[in-house]
């Protein structure tokens, strides 16, 4: 009993220090639900996890990196398992390899700016018609969506990226509501459009990735609003399937641009503070 308590205490302590543990628990929960009740293909998961973890370890060894770990690879594998579908066995592991390898190769100023899972899914869909993402795979169950929303808020808050998720959802809902009003439709249509588990997963798992979102809060809000507007235009102007995924991929170059502007502003503020005369203490 003492050992069990000690192990549980260690797990809780690790989760408090690193929000990725909570994110893994969040994604693993819905992966279990999908495998048990949503007819997810069972063979996807072992291939995706093996390819993701193997690529992570190989890249770490080839580049001689220390203390990288496998948590980010597990998160990417969970995301690919939840969203990517294929009827060919080699596509899921190939998408996982591309996703993980991009973290070590596609970098700007020391950060990877492409969301790995997003890149893996989009690359697979571009490469072959045997890969797709089904937005309706989670159904429209109200209790499940509320559960996903609550856990997603908790994960995003622990990762200090709740502003991105909330800004994206606020922008997306506002755009959807404006279109419903413009077309003279009822609120039932709006609720039907928003009742999507994939939307919740995108908002609280994909777009809220701390490694691929801007550093500044204002920049993160602008980034989230840009993705929402881009996805809305892709869906209703270009009639694209999976517009959220494509919008995030196209908006990825904005992150290094926002970071550059944020760093320039920070340096300017620091230089201005250094030039200001310091108040002298009276004796």
């Amino acid at each position: 009993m003492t050992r069990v308590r000690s192990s549980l205490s260690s797990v809780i302590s690790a989760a408090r220090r690193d929000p990725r543990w909570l994110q893994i628990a969040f994604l693993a929960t819905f992966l279990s639900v999908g495998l048990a009740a949503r007819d997810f293909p069972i063979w996807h998961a072992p291939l995706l996890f093996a390819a993701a973890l193997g690529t992570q370890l190989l890249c770490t060894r080839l580049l001689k990196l220390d203390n990288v770990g496998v948590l980010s690879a597990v998160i990417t594998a969970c995301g690919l398992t939840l969203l990517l579908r294929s009827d060919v066995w080699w596509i899921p592991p190939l998408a996982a390899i591309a996703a993980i390898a991009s973290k070590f190769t596609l970098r700007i100023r020391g950060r990877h700016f492409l969301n790995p899972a997003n890149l893996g899914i989009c690359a697979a869909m571009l490469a072959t018609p045997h890969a797709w993402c089904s937005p309706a795979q989670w159904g429209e169950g109200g209790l499940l969506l509320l559960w996903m929303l609550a856990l997603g808020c908790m994960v995003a808050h622990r990762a200090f990226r709740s502003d991105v998720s909330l800004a994206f959802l606020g922008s997306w809902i506002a755009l959807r509501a404006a279109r419903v009003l413009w077309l003279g439709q009822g609120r039932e249509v709006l609720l039907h459009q928003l009742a999507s588990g994939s939307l919740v997963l995108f908002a609280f798992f994909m777009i809220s990735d701390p490694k691929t979102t801007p550093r500044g809060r204002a920049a993160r809000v602008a980034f989230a609003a840009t993705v929402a507007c881009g996805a809305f235009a892709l869906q209703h102007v270009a009639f694209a399937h999976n517009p959220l995924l494509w919008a995030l991929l196209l908006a990825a170059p904005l992150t290094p641009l926002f970071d550059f502007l944020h760093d320039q502003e920070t340096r300017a503020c620091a230089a201005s503070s250094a030039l200001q005369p310091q108040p002298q203490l009276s004796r």
Side-chain angles (χ1 to χ4, degrees), residues 196-221:
S196 169
S198 296
L199 174 64
V200 177
L201 282 173
F202 178 85
F204 291 103
F205 154 66
M206 191 165 285
I207 197 175
S208 62
D209 178 18
K211 297 292 186 180
T212 55
T213 51
R215 294 191 183 96
R217 172 164 291 183
R220 290 196 295 269
V221 172

Short mmCIF file of all heavy atoms in Angstrom, two decimals, residues 196-221:
data_model
loop_
_atom_site.label_atom_id
_atom_site.label_comp_id
_atom_site.label_asym_id
_atom_site.label_seq_id
_atom_site.Cartn_x
_atom_site.Cartn_y
_atom_site.Cartn_z
N SER A 196 -19.59 19.49 -32.32
CA SER A 196 -18.62 18.61 -32.98
C SER A 196 -17.47 18.31 -32.02
O SER A 196 -16.80 19.22 -31.54
CB SER A 196 -18.09 19.28 -34.25
OG SER A 196 -16.98 18.58 -34.76
N GLY A 197 -17.25 17.03 -31.77
CA GLY A 197 -16.14 16.64 -30.93
C GLY A 197 -14.80 16.97 -31.56
O GLY A 197 -13.84 17.32 -30.88
N SER A 198 -14.72 16.89 -32.89
CA SER A 198 -13.48 17.22 -33.58
C SER A 198 -13.12 18.69 -33.40
O SER A 198 -11.95 19.05 -33.32
CB SER A 198 -13.61 16.90 -35.07
OG SER A 198 -13.79 15.51 -35.26
N LEU A 199 -14.14 19.56 -33.33
CA LEU A 199 -13.90 20.99 -33.10
C LEU A 199 -13.27 21.20 -31.72
O LEU A 199 -12.34 21.99 -31.56
CB LEU A 199 -15.21 21.77 -33.21
CG LEU A 199 -15.15 23.26 -32.86
CD1 LEU A 199 -14.24 24.00 -33.82
CD2 LEU A 199 -16.56 23.85 -32.88
N VAL A 200 -13.78 20.50 -30.72
CA VAL A 200 -13.23 20.62 -29.36
C VAL A 200 -11.81 20.10 -29.31
O VAL A 200 -10.92 20.71 -28.70
CB VAL A 200 -14.13 19.88 -28.36
CG1 VAL A 200 -13.54 19.93 -26.96
CG2 VAL A 200 -15.54 20.47 -28.35
N LEU A 201 -11.56 18.97 -29.95
CA LEU A 201 -10.20 18.42 -29.98
C LEU A 201 -9.24 19.36 -30.68
O LEU A 201 -8.10 19.56 -30.24
CB LEU A 201 -10.20 17.06 -30.69
CG LEU A 201 -10.71 15.87 -29.89
CD1 LEU A 201 -10.82 14.65 -30.79
CD2 LEU A 201 -9.81 15.59 -28.71
N PHE A 202 -9.68 19.97 -31.77
CA PHE A 202 -8.82 20.91 -32.49
C PHE A 202 -8.50 22.12 -31.62
O PHE A 202 -7.36 22.58 -31.56
CB PHE A 202 -9.51 21.36 -33.78
CG PHE A 202 -8.73 22.38 -34.56
CD1 PHE A 202 -7.75 21.97 -35.45
CD2 PHE A 202 -8.97 23.74 -34.42
CE1 PHE A 202 -7.02 22.90 -36.17
CE2 PHE A 202 -8.25 24.68 -35.13
CZ PHE A 202 -7.27 24.25 -36.01
N ALA A 203 -9.53 22.65 -30.93
CA ALA A 203 -9.35 23.87 -30.15
C ALA A 203 -8.46 23.65 -28.93
O ALA A 203 -7.65 24.52 -28.58
CB ALA A 203 -10.70 24.41 -29.71
N PHE A 204 -8.58 22.49 -28.27
CA PHE A 204 -7.88 22.29 -27.01
C PHE A 204 -6.69 21.34 -27.11
O PHE A 204 -5.96 21.17 -26.14
CB PHE A 204 -8.84 21.79 -25.94
CG PHE A 204 -9.85 22.83 -25.53
CD1 PHE A 204 -11.15 22.77 -25.99
CD2 PHE A 204 -9.47 23.88 -24.71
CE1 PHE A 204 -12.07 23.74 -25.63
CE2 PHE A 204 -10.38 24.85 -24.35
CZ PHE A 204 -11.69 24.78 -24.80
N PHE A 205 -6.49 20.74 -28.27
CA PHE A 205 -5.33 19.88 -28.42
C PHE A 205 -4.38 20.41 -29.49
O PHE A 205 -3.18 20.55 -29.27
CB PHE A 205 -5.75 18.46 -28.78
CG PHE A 205 -4.70 17.69 -29.53
CD1 PHE A 205 -3.50 17.35 -28.93
CD2 PHE A 205 -4.90 17.33 -30.86
CE1 PHE A 205 -2.52 16.65 -29.63
CE2 PHE A 205 -3.94 16.64 -31.56
CZ PHE A 205 -2.74 16.30 -30.95
N MET A 206 -4.91 20.78 -30.66
CA MET A 206 -4.03 21.07 -31.77
C MET A 206 -3.59 22.53 -31.81
O MET A 206 -2.39 22.83 -31.77
CB MET A 206 -4.70 20.67 -33.10
CG MET A 206 -3.77 20.69 -34.28
SD MET A 206 -4.44 19.83 -35.71
CE MET A 206 -4.24 18.12 -35.21
N ILE A 207 -4.52 23.45 -31.86
CA ILE A 207 -4.14 24.85 -32.01
C ILE A 207 -3.50 25.40 -30.73
O ILE A 207 -2.80 26.41 -30.76
CB ILE A 207 -5.37 25.71 -32.40
CG1 ILE A 207 -4.91 27.07 -32.96
CG2 ILE A 207 -6.31 25.89 -31.23
CD1 ILE A 207 -6.03 27.93 -33.47
N SER A 208 -3.71 24.73 -29.61
CA SER A 208 -3.17 25.22 -28.33
C SER A 208 -1.79 24.67 -28.01
O SER A 208 -1.31 24.84 -26.89
CB SER A 208 -4.14 24.85 -27.20
OG SER A 208 -4.27 23.45 -27.09
N ASP A 209 -1.14 24.04 -28.97
CA ASP A 209 0.20 23.48 -28.75
C ASP A 209 1.17 24.60 -28.35
O ASP A 209 1.40 25.53 -29.13
CB ASP A 209 0.68 22.80 -30.03
CG ASP A 209 2.09 22.24 -29.90
OD1 ASP A 209 2.55 22.08 -28.75
OD2 ASP A 209 2.72 21.98 -30.93
N PRO A 210 1.78 24.55 -27.15
CA PRO A 210 2.68 25.64 -26.72
C PRO A 210 3.90 25.83 -27.62
O PRO A 210 4.45 26.92 -27.71
CB PRO A 210 3.10 25.21 -25.31
CG PRO A 210 2.07 24.23 -24.87
CD PRO A 210 1.62 23.54 -26.11
N LYS A 211 4.35 24.75 -28.28
CA LYS A 211 5.56 24.83 -29.10
C LYS A 211 5.32 25.51 -30.45
O LYS A 211 6.28 25.94 -31.09
CB LYS A 211 6.11 23.42 -29.34
CG LYS A 211 6.56 22.69 -28.09
CD LYS A 211 7.78 23.35 -27.47
CE LYS A 211 8.31 22.53 -26.30
NZ LYS A 211 9.50 23.16 -25.69
N THR A 212 4.07 25.59 -30.89
CA THR A 212 3.81 26.12 -32.23
C THR A 212 2.86 27.31 -32.21
O THR A 212 2.27 27.66 -33.23
CB THR A 212 3.22 25.02 -33.14
OG1 THR A 212 2.05 24.47 -32.52
CG2 THR A 212 4.22 23.92 -33.35
N THR A 213 2.71 27.95 -31.05
CA THR A 213 1.91 29.17 -30.94
C THR A 213 2.83 30.32 -30.53
O THR A 213 3.86 30.10 -29.89
CB THR A 213 0.78 29.01 -29.92
OG1 THR A 213 1.31 28.50 -28.69
CG2 THR A 213 -0.29 28.06 -30.43
N PRO A 214 2.47 31.55 -30.86
CA PRO A 214 3.34 32.69 -30.53
C PRO A 214 3.55 32.85 -29.03
O PRO A 214 2.75 32.39 -28.21
CB PRO A 214 2.57 33.89 -31.12
CG PRO A 214 1.70 33.31 -32.17
CD PRO A 214 1.31 31.95 -31.68
N ARG A 215 4.63 33.53 -28.66
CA ARG A 215 4.96 33.72 -27.25
C ARG A 215 4.07 34.77 -26.59
O ARG A 215 3.66 34.60 -25.45
CB ARG A 215 6.43 34.15 -27.11
CG ARG A 215 7.43 33.08 -27.54
CD ARG A 215 8.83 33.47 -27.12
NE ARG A 215 9.83 32.51 -27.58
CZ ARG A 215 10.54 32.63 -28.67
NH1 ARG A 215 10.35 33.68 -29.45
NH2 ARG A 215 11.44 31.72 -29.01
N GLY A 216 3.79 35.85 -27.28
CA GLY A 216 3.00 36.93 -26.69
C GLY A 216 1.51 36.62 -26.66
O GLY A 216 0.99 35.99 -27.59
N ARG A 217 0.83 37.08 -25.62
CA ARG A 217 -0.60 36.79 -25.50
C ARG A 217 -1.40 37.45 -26.62
O ARG A 217 -2.28 36.81 -27.22
CB ARG A 217 -1.12 37.26 -24.14
CG ARG A 217 -2.63 37.19 -24.00
CD ARG A 217 -3.08 37.29 -22.57
NE ARG A 217 -2.70 36.10 -21.82
CZ ARG A 217 -3.03 35.91 -20.53
NH1 ARG A 217 -3.73 36.82 -19.88
NH2 ARG A 217 -2.66 34.81 -19.93
N ALA A 218 -1.14 38.73 -26.90
CA ALA A 218 -1.86 39.41 -27.98
C ALA A 218 -1.63 38.72 -29.32
O ALA A 218 -2.55 38.58 -30.14
CB ALA A 218 -1.44 40.88 -28.05
N ALA A 219 -0.40 38.26 -29.54
CA ALA A 219 -0.09 37.55 -30.78
C ALA A 219 -0.83 36.22 -30.85
O ALA A 219 -1.29 35.81 -31.93
CB ALA A 219 1.42 37.33 -30.89
N ARG A 220 -0.97 35.54 -29.71
CA ARG A 220 -1.69 34.27 -29.70
C ARG A 220 -3.17 34.47 -30.04
O ARG A 220 -3.77 33.69 -30.78
CB ARG A 220 -1.55 33.58 -28.35
CG ARG A 220 -0.14 33.05 -28.08
CD ARG A 220 -0.13 32.05 -26.93
NE ARG A 220 -0.50 32.64 -25.67
CZ ARG A 220 0.36 33.16 -24.81
NH1 ARG A 220 1.65 33.19 -25.10
NH2 ARG A 220 -0.05 33.65 -23.64
N VAL A 221 -3.76 35.53 -29.50
CA VAL A 221 -5.16 35.83 -29.80
C VAL A 221 -5.32 36.15 -31.29
O VAL A 221 -6.26 35.67 -31.95
CB VAL A 221 -5.66 36.99 -28.93
CG1 VAL A 221 -7.05 37.44 -29.36
CG2 VAL A 221 -5.68 36.58 -27.45
#
